[in-house]
Amino acid sequence: MLIAIGRRLNLLIITLFILCLGSYVLAFLFPGDTLTNLSGTPPLSADQSHQLQLMYALSEGWFSGFWTYLKLTLSGDWGVSLNSQTPVFDDILYLLPASLELSLYAMVISLLVGLPLGVLAGLKHRTYTDLGILSVSLAGFSFPVFWLSLLLILIFALQLGYLPMSGRISLLYDIPYHTGFILIDILQSDVAVKDAALKDALRHLVLPTLSLSIVTTALVIRLIRRSVVTVYSSDFIKAAYTKGLSHSQVFWRHGMKNALLPIMPQLAMQFTVLLTNAMIVEVIFSWPGIGEWLIQAIYQRDYPAIRGGMLAVSAIVVTFTISVDLIVRILYPLNKRQFYAQA
Amino acid sequence: MPRPSFYQEEYYPSPMRHTWTEFQNNHVALAGLWCLAFFILAAFIGPMLVPYGPLQQNTDMLLLPPAWDINGEISHLFGTDSLGRDLLSRVIHGCRITLGSSVVLVLIAMLVGCSIGAYAGMSRGLRASVINHLLDAIMAIPTLLIAIIIVAILGTGLLNSMWAITLALIPQFIHQTRDLVRREFQKEYIVAARLDGASNQRLLMRDVLPNMVEVLVVQATMALSVAILDISALGFLNLGAQSPSPELGAMLSESLDTAYAAPWSVALPGAAIFLMVLSINLVGDGLRTALKKRLLQ
C-alpha cells in the first residue's frame, strides 16, 4: 500500500515539476523581453537590469536559471503584474477563493441533483423514465455555457428583474475580506445587517451557479447511470437477489457501493471541467475570481500574470485529480489488485 | 432481420452494415443525423443561397426583429443586428466557419493522436511509462484551459485558436488509441498473425486498425462537439475569431452590447451552436449504443 501511495505522490511531484518547467519555458516563448516576462518589472536602468539578471541567474545557463526560478516559485515570489505592479502570488491567493467558492457550490448542486437522477435512470434502464432523464441530460451538456448564462441573464435579470446580473454582492454592503469565501466572510463579520447581506450574496450566487451546474449535472447523470446499469447487470447482484435480499438491501449493500466508488475519479474530473467553465461564467457575470483576472491578463498581454495564473490553475487541477484518485484507490478494494500487479 | 431462409441462404450483414441497422433502430439518433446533415449542407451550399453577404450592412434596417415578430419583415428572416447585417446570412456563414474549422481540426488531431497513440501502444518499458505518466498529467487539464494557454502564447485569431484546440485535443486520441492498440495486441488473432511472421507495422495496419475504426469514429464525434464548444467559447472571449467575422461565438459577444434591445441577436447564433452540438452528441451516442449492441451479440 505504501508503495502505491508513493507512486501517486511521485506522479504528483513530477507533474508539478513539469508544470513549473512549462511555466518557466513560457517566459521564453511569450513575445517580449524574457526578463520582463519573468519579473514583471520593465528594467529602467542598466543597473536594475543587471540586478534582475543576477536574481534570476539567466546568464548562468538553463539549468541554474531554472533552479533559481524553482526556488523563487516555491518561496512565493512569482514576479509582479505588468499592469498593476502588485505581486502575482498575492493576487492569485486573493482571487482564488471566489472561483473555488463558485465551483464548489456548483459541484455540490450537480451532485445533489445528478446523483438521484442518475441512479433512478440506471435502475429504470430502458423505460420512459430513463429515456426522459437521458434526453434532458444530453440536451444539458450540449449547451454552450456562455450562451446558457446569457439566456439566464436575459430572462431572469433583464426581462423579469428577479435577480442581479453581475458581481458577488451589492455595493451597499461593505464586507471585510477574511477568507475570501463571501458567505463565510459575511457570517464572520459584524455588519449590522447580516441577514440582508447574506440574502443579497445568495441572490448574486443563483445565476452563475445555475449556469455552471446545469452542464455538470448532465455529465454526472450520464456517468452514474452508465455505472449503475453495468453494476446491476452483473452476476453478484443476481446472486444477492437469489439469496433473498430485498430491493433496498441489494441497493444499499451491493448496488451503490460498487456503482459509485469506481467512478469517483471521473466525477473528480468534472470538477476540472467546472473550473474551466467557471472562467467563462466569471467573465460574463463580472465575478471577481481567477478566471476573469486571467482573461483580462491575456487581453492586456500581462505575461507574468498569465504565467502565474496558468501555473496556479493547472496545479490545483492536477493536485485535486490525483488526490481523489489516491483516496479512491485506498478505499476501493478491487483497485488494490491492479496496484500490485503494476508495482 | 427476419428473412425467408431457403436452403442455406442465411444473410449475414457486414459489421458496418450491422452497426448501421442498429443505429437506424434508434429514432432519436436518426433525427440527430438528419439535423447534422442539414447543418453540413447549410455549411456547404448555404452561403451560395443567402441573398446578403455576411458583412453587408444595411443602414435602413437596423435592429429589425425576426420575421415572426409583429415588427419583422420577411426580407430578413432572422432580423438584423445593430449594423443592419442580415442575421440569417451571418448564422449560415457562421455555421460554415465554426463547423468547418472544427471538422478540420478534429481530423488533424485524430491523425496525429492516433499515430502517437499507436506508437505508444506498441512500445514497452521506460518509454511507455514516461508517455503514460505525461499523458495522465495532461489529460487532467481541461482542453479549454490548454487552448487558452496556447492562445496566450500564439496570440489571438481564428487560425491560432484552431491550432490551440487541435493541440489540446490530441492527448485524448493518444490515450484512446494507446489503450485500444495495447488491448488488441494481446488477443489471440494477433498472436497467431505474429507467429506467421507479420511485423508490428503490418499487424497494426492490416489487423488492428480495421477493428478500431468505429471506436475512433465515436471518439471523433465526441471530440467534434468539444471542438465546436471550445472554438465558439474562444470566439466569445475575443481570443479566437475576431469581431467582424461571422464565427458564431464572436457573433454572440458582438451582439452583447444590444442584448437588451435585440435579444434575438443573442438567442439565434447560440441556438445554432446548441443544435449543432446536440445533433453531434445524438449521433455519437447512437453510434456508441449501436456499437455496444453489435459487440454484445
Side-chain angles (χ1 to χ4, degrees):
Chain A
M1 204 67 223
L2 271 179
I3 300 173
I5 296 174
R7 279 169 68 95
R8 287 283 126 182
L9 285 180
N10 202 6
L11 177 65
L12 178 64
I13 290 168
I14 290 177
T15 315
L16 290 180
F17 180 78
I18 292 174
L19 284 177
C20 277
L21 186 66
S23 80
Y24 183 64
V25 176
L26 276 186
F28 292 88
L29 289 177
F30 283 142
D33 181 30
T34 307
L35 211 52
T36 318
N37 288 341
L38 277 174
S39 65
T41 39
L44 300 172
S45 61
D47 188 38
Q48 215 175 352
S49 166
H50 185 68
Q51 215 169 3
L52 281 177
Q53 192 107 35
L54 278 182
M55 183 176 154
Y56 284 98
L58 272 187
S59 51
E60 292 165 39
W62 278 77
F63 183 75
S64 71
F66 176 60
W67 182 241
T68 323
Y69 173 78
L70 203 60
K71 276 195 287 193
L72 281 175
T73 306
L74 286 182
S75 65
D77 183 354
W78 292 20
V80 297
S81 156
L82 274 178
N83 290 304
S84 59
Q85 293 293 317
T86 47
V88 170
F89 191 65
D90 296 351
D91 277 358
I92 291 175
L93 279 189
Y94 186 82
L95 293 168
L96 205 54
S99 296
L100 284 183
E101 189 179 31
L102 189 59
S103 318
L104 210 65
Y105 297 152
M107 191 74 200
V108 168
I109 288 184
S110 350
L111 284 182
L112 280 183
V113 179
L115 206 82
L117 283 183
V119 170
L120 186 67
L123 291 181
K124 304 222 178 257
H125 187 42
R126 291 201 187 132
T127 59
Y128 282 107
T129 325
D130 177 32
L131 208 67
I133 295 177
L134 197 65
S135 0
V136 169
S137 86
L138 200 69
F141 83 90
S142 304
F143 272 117
V145 70
F146 45 96
W147 185 56
L148 189 62
S149 17
L150 285 178
L151 280 190
L152 288 177
I153 289 184
L154 273 179
I155 295 171
F156 290 104
L158 288 177
Q159 300 282 347
L160 299 176
Y162 289 155
L163 295 161
M165 60 183 277
S166 69
R168 294 179 87 183
I169 191 165
S170 166
L171 292 174
L172 292 172
Y173 306 101
D174 185 23
I175 306 296
Y177 184 97
H178 285 301
T179 54
F181 293 90
I182 188 96
L183 294 185
I184 299 177
D185 273 1
I186 292 176
L187 289 178
Q188 275 184 351
S189 69
D190 41 2
V191 192
V193 279
K194 212 185 246 184
D195 290 346
L198 202 61
K199 213 172 143 195
D200 191 59
L202 282 177
R203 273 161 52 88
H204 277 85
L205 261 172
V206 173
L207 285 186
T209 318
L210 195 62
S211 43
L212 267 181
S213 51
I214 284 179
V215 176
T216 324
T217 309
L219 288 167
V220 168
I221 288 179
R222 289 170 63 80
L223 273 177
I224 290 177
R225 174 183 169 273
R226 202 177 301 161
S227 172
V228 169
V229 169
T230 323
V231 165
Y232 262 76
S233 62
S234 57
D235 288 339
F236 65 85
I237 294 287
K238 274 177 217 152
Y241 274 121
T242 326
K243 215 160 63 175
L245 296 186
S246 69
H247 277 293
S248 68
Q249 277 172 322
V250 172
F251 179 76
W252 291 113
R253 284 198 207 151
H254 302 275
M256 273 311 92
K257 283 182 193 165
N258 288 298
L260 290 188
L261 264 179
I263 55 166
M264 282 300 272
Q266 278 156 302
L267 285 180
M269 286 278 246
Q270 301 314 314
F271 185 76
T272 69
V273 177
L274 202 74
L275 212 59
T276 343
N277 280 342
M279 289 170 65
I280 302 176
V281 169
E282 279 171 17
V283 174
I284 294 172
F285 287 95
S286 314
W287 190 265
I290 192 155
E292 220 239 350
W293 177 77
L294 194 59
I295 300 221
Q296 291 302 331
I298 295 179
Y299 291 156
Q300 292 157 353
R301 312 206 167 271
D302 186 348
Y303 293 115
I306 298 176
R307 206 166 40 77
M310 297 303 171
L311 187 58
V313 175
S314 37
I316 291 172
V317 165
V318 170
T319 316
F320 187 79
T321 326
I322 295 184
S323 32
V324 170
D325 195 33
L326 185 63
I327 293 171
V328 170
R329 271 166 197 265
I330 292 172
L331 289 179
Y332 189 50
L334 266 185
N335 268 334
K336 276 181 196 157
R337 211 168 48 193
Q338 284 176 9
F339 256 168
Y340 291 120
Q342 274 177 8
Chain B
M1 197 177 300
R3 274 180 167 239
S5 172
F6 297 112
Y7 312 111
Q8 297 292 314
E9 206 177 73
E10 196 71 52
Y11 175 69
Y12 291 107
S14 71
M16 288 278 181
R17 181 109 218 140
H18 197 153
T19 316
W20 172 239
T21 319
E22 289 286 355
F23 184 82
Q24 272 180 317
N25 287 335
N26 189 347
H27 297 262
V28 187
L30 211 57
L33 187 66
W34 279 108
C35 192
L36 184 63
F38 170 75
F39 272 113
I40 293 173
L41 204 67
F44 267 109
I45 61 169
M48 287 178 238
L49 297 179
V50 290
Y52 308 94
L55 302 177
Q56 186 186 339
Q57 300 177 6
N58 183 356
T59 40
D60 298 335
M61 301 270 191
L62 296 184
L63 293 178
L64 198 71
W68 53 85
D69 194 276
I70 195 120
N71 297 319
E73 271 189 45
I74 198 66
S75 60
H76 294 280
L77 194 60
F78 279 8
T80 58
D81 65 4
S82 56
L83 291 173
R85 293 174 293 197
D86 181 49
L87 264 182
L88 178 64
S89 317
R90 276 174 78 72
V91 167
I92 285 179
H93 276 94
C95 287
R96 175 182 250 184
I97 294 184
T98 310
L99 187 62
S101 53
S102 307
V103 169
V104 170
L105 66 87
V106 166
L107 284 182
I108 299 176
M110 190 156 97
L111 205 65
V112 176
C114 290
S115 325
I116 302 178
Y119 177 73
M122 290 188 299
S123 62
R124 306 248 170 283
L126 184 66
R127 231 175 349 180
S129 154
V130 167
I131 296 178
N132 281 353
H133 276 167
L134 214 61
L135 267 180
D136 283 347
I138 301 176
M139 286 278 290
I141 305 175
T143 52
L144 192 61
L145 190 64
I146 305 180
I148 289 179
I149 299 178
I150 299 171
V151 165
I153 301 171
L154 294 175
T156 56
L158 181 62
L159 203 62
N160 284 347
S161 67
M162 277 173 70
W163 281 122
I165 296 169
T166 312
L167 286 177
L169 283 178
I170 287 176
Q172 297 180 10
F173 281 108
I174 300 181
H175 192 84
Q176 182 90 14
T177 322
R178 186 199 56 183
D179 286 359
L180 275 173
V181 167
R182 184 162 294 171
R183 215 175 308 143
E184 290 294 318
F185 260 70
Q186 281 165 358
K187 288 189 180 164
E188 275 151 8
Y189 73 100
I190 294 290
V191 176
R194 199 193 286 283
L195 286 177
D196 282 345
S199 66
N200 262 349
Q201 206 178 359
R202 190 188 158 90
L203 283 176
L204 183 70
M205 298 311 276
R206 287 289 184 86
D207 301 323
V208 175
L209 210 56
N211 276 318
M212 291 187 346
V213 168
E214 284 155 326
V215 184
L216 286 180
V217 169
V218 172
Q219 173 85 4
T221 55
M222 275 158 55
L224 189 61
S225 72
V226 171
I228 289 179
L229 285 179
D230 283 0
I231 218 164
S232 50
L234 285 180
F236 178 77
L237 293 173
N238 288 325
L239 299 174
Q242 294 298 308
S243 181
S245 150
E247 200 274 318
L248 291 173
M251 267 172 79
L252 258 178
S253 83
E254 211 181 335
S255 56
L256 269 189
D257 304 332
T258 53
Y260 190 60
W264 61 87
S265 62
V266 171
L268 291 174
I273 305 177
F274 171 63
L275 282 180
M276 224 187 290
V277 176
L278 183 64
S279 60
I280 291 171
N281 280 338
L282 281 175
V283 172
D285 236 37
L287 266 182
R288 193 184 333 182
T289 322
L291 210 60
K292 206 187 280 170
K293 273 188 193 159
R294 196 196 85 200
L295 291 179
L296 276 182
Q297 273 182 356

